[in-house]
Amino acid sequence: MNQIACNEMKYRPEESAISGPIDLEQILARINTLPAMPVIAQKLLGLALNTDQGETQMLKLVAQDSQISAKIIGLSNSALFATPGIITSIIDAAMYLGLTQIKSVAIGMATVSALTKPPEGKLKSADLWAHSMTIASAMRVIAKHMPAKTRPVDEQIFLAGLLHDIGYNVLNIIAKDTCNALYEKLSTPSDASPLEIEHALLGTHHGEIGAQLGIHWGLPAEIIAVIRYHHIPNSANAEIGQPLVRLVNLAERMLPDFAIIESTAQEITPQEWIALGIDPGKADSIAEQISSVAEQAKQLISII
């Protein structure tokens, strides 16, 4: 029996739920009980799109998963991507959105679906998806103002944005009651920062939880760094994930509490723009573009 099948047989939601406060040691003990990375996500991660064969394989993989392909077509018709006409097939979606974007969105959808189980707690997977998709789109807006030589490719940008908060999905599965308590605390005005609140309740934070899943799943090192450090971008250990880590951090602070409560609002300094190679004088224009992205993304709550 292959490893994926073994992991799927081992996963029992009712056995892995935790009641009450938890800490990193408890989380690590249960990471291996979570579902394996979906097969389609594994295949897409390892698929290069720089050949005709790679492109054909990618479109075939996505088309074979009716649930994911239907969601991508629905997303393609949303205001966020403003595609001309009506998109009715994956080929049409790839033509207008681009193959790399389709690949990243498919990976994101597959991983989120693997970490969603009813009944959900107060932190809804649809809200997390809308938040992550919008952050990914905002990251792309910011990245367009970076020098071409240091700008990440669209595939990396979208994958980083879609998976940065996956720790919340993990927490929702292994400790729904604790996740509900965290949701309530983050929703209540406090002088403590979100990370301080999470540490007080969990003994860790959602970035570390998500990073542990990323390690378990064998995600690329730069994506694991994004997941782990997107709220602490100045950490020396975040270097392997730069500039993606900074892109996520700035996007979240420019769209505080979009779809989920994280209380990330904080003024962005000129030095932070300069660290990305962006002229601080463009900050207002970037903010306007991201505000427009947020307006277009509001309908994403229903696309998951």
Side-chain angles (χ1 to χ4, degrees):
M1 184 178 296
N2 63 35
Q3 185 62 44
I4 292 173
C6 287
N7 282 347
E8 286 176 346
M9 287 180 65
K10 180 170 59 177
Y11 176 58
R12 298 290 187 273
E14 65 275 10
E15 295 174 1
S16 53
I18 307 173
S19 298
I22 62 174
D23 58 29
L24 183 57
E25 186 175 339
Q26 289 177 289
I27 292 167
L28 290 176
R30 288 165 174 80
I31 286 293
N32 289 334
T33 71
L34 291 176
M37 176 184 282
V39 173
I40 184 173
Q42 292 182 38
K43 290 181 178 180
L44 287 172
L45 271 172
L47 193 61
L49 298 181
N50 55 357
T51 65
D52 290 342
Q53 182 181 9
E55 293 177 5
T56 300
Q57 286 180 317
M58 193 277 288
L59 291 173
K60 183 178 180 180
L61 275 172
V62 175
Q64 285 175 343
D65 191 307
S66 59
Q67 188 175 36
I68 289 178
S69 59
K71 290 176 181 177
I72 289 177
I73 291 171
L75 180 64
S76 302
N77 286 304
S78 72
L80 184 62
F81 292 101
T83 49
I86 301 297
I87 304 299
T88 59
S89 70
I90 286 297
I91 292 177
D92 288 343
M95 182 182 302
Y96 290 111
L97 300 186
L99 290 167
T100 58
Q101 195 157 275
I102 292 293
K103 176 182 173 181
S104 297
V105 171
I107 293 171
M109 285 181 168
T111 53
V112 168
S113 295
L115 296 174
T116 301
K117 70 177 184 67
E120 291 193 286
K122 295 181 179 180
L123 188 56
K124 305 298 183 185
S125 58
D127 294 341
L128 283 165
W129 172 254
H131 169 80
S132 297
M133 174 59 74
T134 307
I135 292 301
S137 299
M139 289 168 64
R140 188 175 58 173
V141 170
I142 298 171
K144 286 180 179 178
H145 296 272
M146 294 175 63
K149 62 181 180 180
T150 59
R151 183 188 309 145
V153 297
D154 273 357
E155 181 179 340
Q156 284 185 314
I157 291 172
F158 250 82
L159 191 58
L162 292 175
L163 299 184
H164 76 280
D165 269 344
I166 203 166
Y168 284 134
N169 297 88
V170 175
L171 189 61
N172 236 344
I173 287 184
I174 66 175
K176 185 171 69 174
D177 291 344
T178 303
C179 190
N180 286 342
L182 176 61
Y183 179 91
E184 293 293 341
K185 287 184 178 295
L186 290 174
S187 302
T188 303
S190 172
D191 292 332
S193 72
L195 287 188
E196 289 172 338
I197 292 172
E198 291 192 28
H199 271 286
L201 185 64
L202 309 176
T204 185
H205 59 90
H206 69 279
E208 183 58 39
I209 296 171
Q212 294 301 325
L213 177 70
I215 293 169
H216 173 58
W217 276 0
L219 292 176
E222 66 272 17
I223 300 300
I224 293 173
V226 167
I227 296 169
R228 177 177 273 139
Y229 297 113
H230 64 276
H231 284 299
I232 41 177
N234 293 323
S235 170
N237 295 323
E239 190 58 35
I240 193 173
Q242 300 292 10
L244 292 167
V245 175
R246 294 191 186 280
L247 281 172
V248 174
N249 183 262
L250 262 61
E252 286 209 304
R253 287 157 60 189
M254 298 183 81
L255 289 173
D257 301 334
F258 186 91
I260 65 173
I261 303 295
E262 283 193 286
S263 303
T264 53
Q266 183 182 343
E267 184 178 354
I268 298 170
T269 67
Q271 289 74 23
E272 289 177 291
W273 291 113
I274 292 171
L276 287 174
I278 298 175
D279 178 0
K282 295 181 179 179
D284 289 342
S285 173
I286 293 173
E288 289 180 8
Q289 294 173 56
I290 288 179
S291 178
S292 176
V293 165
E295 285 300 313
Q296 295 165 352
K298 287 180 178 177
Q299 64 178 280
L300 288 180
I301 301 294
S302 61
I303 303 176
I304 186 167

